[in-house]
Amino acid sequence: MKKFAALFLSLALLFSFVTNVQADEKPISVWLEDQQVQLGEQQPIMEHGTTLVPAKQILEKLGFEVTWDQDNKVITGKKEGLVLLFQIGNLGAVVNQSEQGLLVAPKLIKGTVYIPLRTVSEASGYEVSWNKEQRAVTIEAREPSRGFLWKTENAGNTVYLLGSIHIANKAMYPLRPEIQKAYEASNFLVVEADITKMDDEAVQKQVLDISVYKDNTTLKDHISAEAYKKLGGILKENGLETHALDTFKAWNVSSALDYLTSAKSGFDAGIGIDAHFLQQAIASQLPILELESIEYQLNMFNNFSDKLQEEMLNSSIEQYYAESSGIDALSEMWATGNEEQLLELTQSTMTNDEFYKALLSDRNVPMVDKITGYLNGSEKKTYFVVVGAAHMIGQDGIVPLLEKKGFKVERQ
């Protein structure tokens, strides 16, 4: 903070010089595809390498409805399930209830709100590029992700089945319009487990309680010396003591390593497909139903044998050190909606009977029973069901199991 204050004072002492230099520079232009965005007298400004633009003009140009909260100094843009909030002076924007850090805070200049162009553009599904020589910012629409969407109907009820990926990066958005329209046409959002409950104190206590050893053993007693040594190296690399996770069970440690690996690659569960729709549902107060629960999934992992837990941990260690973790390929599969690759991924889990049975086949049957209940209901409602994509196809998948029950299920 002191460094920034000193810099500010230095610029103040040289203000006339800085002003003259900036006056001679070519104005910054903003281009949407191949069309220049006309901003009139309210021109973009550059601050600490961040381009700030008039919020109302750019949001409306990108198709948002814009509102201004004078009391809280917050400008909001809403469109097709996407809600963006920027507050004057706040170094955090809100994208569908998820906070995103900003390098430069929004500003109010002569009655006009200015916001970071890159943040609003990337959140809206655009790629941003900067031409230094031309002092031009270009924003271009990304190809929408296709994903895996099916539809089935019965007795006046409709069920949309979206095979999801639980972690994502910004490049996976936007989703194709058909997915968003299916969600907006629904009376209920249905997920495996409502992960927004993870912030509840009671749930966190439950997670901690089930994740640690209580039999006077530690992680070191349940995995090989080689795996323990490799894990210690990863922990040390991340600024932790080599024994920091000794009290935690191997399945939980595996999950923690997977989180580190995905974060290194720019992926985040907070913007995963299920989280994306949960945030929308909470904002619009759409009822949320669960096919399972957080408790059910915790117990599933906790019941894995020591052998399977160590295999999971070894796989997580291997993925952490791999040049390519495979997450990029997974996201590309989802973005392109490649069903052949999805089937190959699903079938690869069959090499371990315990893993396949616990993770897929044993879970798919009760999921299908609940979905069948939605389809046979008398209320004539529409359900938007978001379940991990690996559950959808293959010999024990949700789609073929529904078809065996006589329902017609069509890929959208």
Side-chain angles (χ1 to χ4, degrees):
M1 198 69 184
K2 290 181 179 178
K3 289 183 179 179
F4 283 112
L7 177 59
F8 177 80
L9 291 173
S10 299
L11 291 174
L13 290 172
L14 299 170
F15 187 75
S16 60
F17 167 74
V18 173
T19 303
N20 287 335
V21 171
Q22 289 181 341
D24 291 335
E25 285 186 318
K26 184 176 182 178
I28 297 171
S29 61
V30 177
W31 296 74
L32 179 56
E33 305 295 350
D34 58 354
Q35 296 292 319
Q36 185 172 357
V37 179
Q38 301 300 325
L39 298 171
E41 296 181 357
Q42 298 166 327
Q43 291 300 304
I45 60 175
M46 180 79 76
E47 185 172 316
H48 303 307
T50 296
T51 302
L52 299 170
V53 293
K56 188 173 188 295
Q57 288 93 321
I58 197 65
L59 285 167
E60 289 181 343
K61 189 68 177 178
L62 296 177
F64 287 87
E65 293 182 8
V66 183
T67 57
W68 168 248
D69 180 348
Q70 176 64 30
D71 293 337
N72 294 302
K73 299 293 188 293
V74 172
I75 192 162
T76 302
K78 295 182 179 181
K79 77 163 183 178
E80 298 174 350
L82 180 60
V83 180
L84 307 180
L85 287 84
F86 296 88
Q87 184 177 43
I88 302 302
N90 193 330
L91 282 170
V94 177
V95 180
N96 279 355
Q97 296 194 332
S98 179
E99 188 167 346
Q100 182 174 325
L102 303 175
L103 296 176
V104 177
K107 299 182 179 301
L108 188 61
I109 303 174
K110 295 182 180 179
T112 297
V113 178
Y114 281 76
I115 58 176
L117 177 59
R118 180 175 294 276
T119 301
V120 65
S121 300
E122 290 184 344
S124 306
Y126 291 84
E127 292 182 349
V128 182
S129 60
W130 166 249
N131 186 312
K132 184 177 180 180
E133 289 71 26
Q134 296 297 320
R135 288 178 61 77
V137 184
T138 301
I139 52 180
E140 298 177 301
R142 296 192 193 105
E143 186 71 24
S145 287
R146 177 167 173 74
F148 300 96
L149 181 67
W150 288 266
K151 179 182 179 181
T152 182
E153 298 173 291
N154 186 64
N157 300 295
T158 300
V159 170
Y160 290 100
L161 299 164
L162 180 65
S164 77
I165 179 170
H166 298 307
I167 59 173
N169 61 9
K170 294 175 185 176
M172 290 180 64
Y173 294 94
L175 309 181
R176 60 188 170 102
E178 292 85 352
I179 295 176
Q180 184 63 35
K181 287 177 182 177
Y183 166 79
E184 292 176 356
S186 299
N187 304 107
F188 299 91
L189 171 65
V190 186
V191 292
E192 293 177 30
D194 185 353
I195 57 175
T196 63
K197 296 177 182 177
M198 288 295 292
D199 291 333
D200 293 351
E201 185 177 345
V203 174
Q204 290 182 352
K205 183 178 179 182
Q206 183 182 32
V207 172
L208 181 60
D209 184 64
I210 203 170
S211 299
V212 297
Y213 294 109
K214 297 178 181 177
D215 56 359
N216 294 320
T217 64
T218 67
L219 180 65
K220 198 172 184 179
D221 300 309
H222 294 266
I223 63 175
S224 69
E226 182 182 3
Y228 187 79
K229 183 179 179 180
K230 288 179 179 178
L231 172 64
I234 294 174
L235 295 176
K236 189 175 181 180
E237 185 179 315
N238 286 275
L240 299 170
E241 296 291 336
T242 58
H243 57 270
L245 299 180
D246 274 13
T247 59
F248 292 91
K249 296 176 182 177
W251 66 264
N252 186 270
V253 177
S254 172
S255 179
L257 287 192
D258 290 342
Y259 173 81
L260 286 176
T261 301
S262 60
K264 282 197 310 177
S265 302
F267 289 81
D268 181 6
I271 58 172
I273 303 303
D274 43 355
H276 174 75
F277 287 106
L278 278 165
Q279 289 162 3
Q280 288 188 56
I282 291 170
S284 63
Q285 297 184 323
L286 187 73
I288 299 169
L289 304 176
E290 294 179 303
L291 292 176
E292 299 175 330
S293 65
I294 293 174
E295 182 179 9
Y296 175 93
Q297 295 190 350
L298 287 172
N299 284 322
M300 176 192 70
F301 284 108
N302 194 50
N303 288 330
F304 285 166
S305 66
D306 274 4
K307 181 183 178 183
L308 177 55
Q309 290 190 45
E310 182 171 5
E311 288 177 0
M312 290 171 60
L313 179 56
N314 283 328
S315 177
S316 297
I317 291 171
E318 183 180 341
Q319 288 296 311
Y320 180 87
Y321 284 117
E323 289 185 13
S324 175
S325 67
I327 300 174
D328 286 319
L330 187 66
S331 65
E332 178 67 16
M333 176 201 73
W334 197 90
T336 58
N338 191 316
E339 196 167 322
E340 185 178 328
Q341 290 179 348
L342 176 59
L343 180 58
E344 184 180 336
L345 171 68
T346 303
Q347 290 176 336
S348 70
T349 64
M350 298 176 71
T351 56
N352 185 304
D353 288 342
E354 181 186 358
F355 184 78
Y356 177 77
K357 191 171 183 292
L359 200 70
L360 292 177
S361 62
D362 282 358
R363 295 171 64 200
N364 289 352
V365 172
M367 285 185 185
V368 167
D369 288 341
K370 282 195 174 183
I371 294 168
T372 300
Y374 303 151
L375 288 166
N376 289 334
S378 60
E379 297 182 343
K380 297 183 177 6
K381 298 294 185 180
T382 299
Y383 301 80
F384 189 78
V385 180
V386 183
V387 178
H391 289 278
M392 290 300 181
I393 59 177
Q395 66 182 40
D396 298 304
I398 290 174
V399 170
L401 287 177
L402 285 170
E403 290 174 335
K404 287 178 182 177
K405 286 177 173 283
F407 298 109
K408 183 180 180 181
V409 186
E410 295 181 318
R411 178 87 187 267
Q412 302 295 294

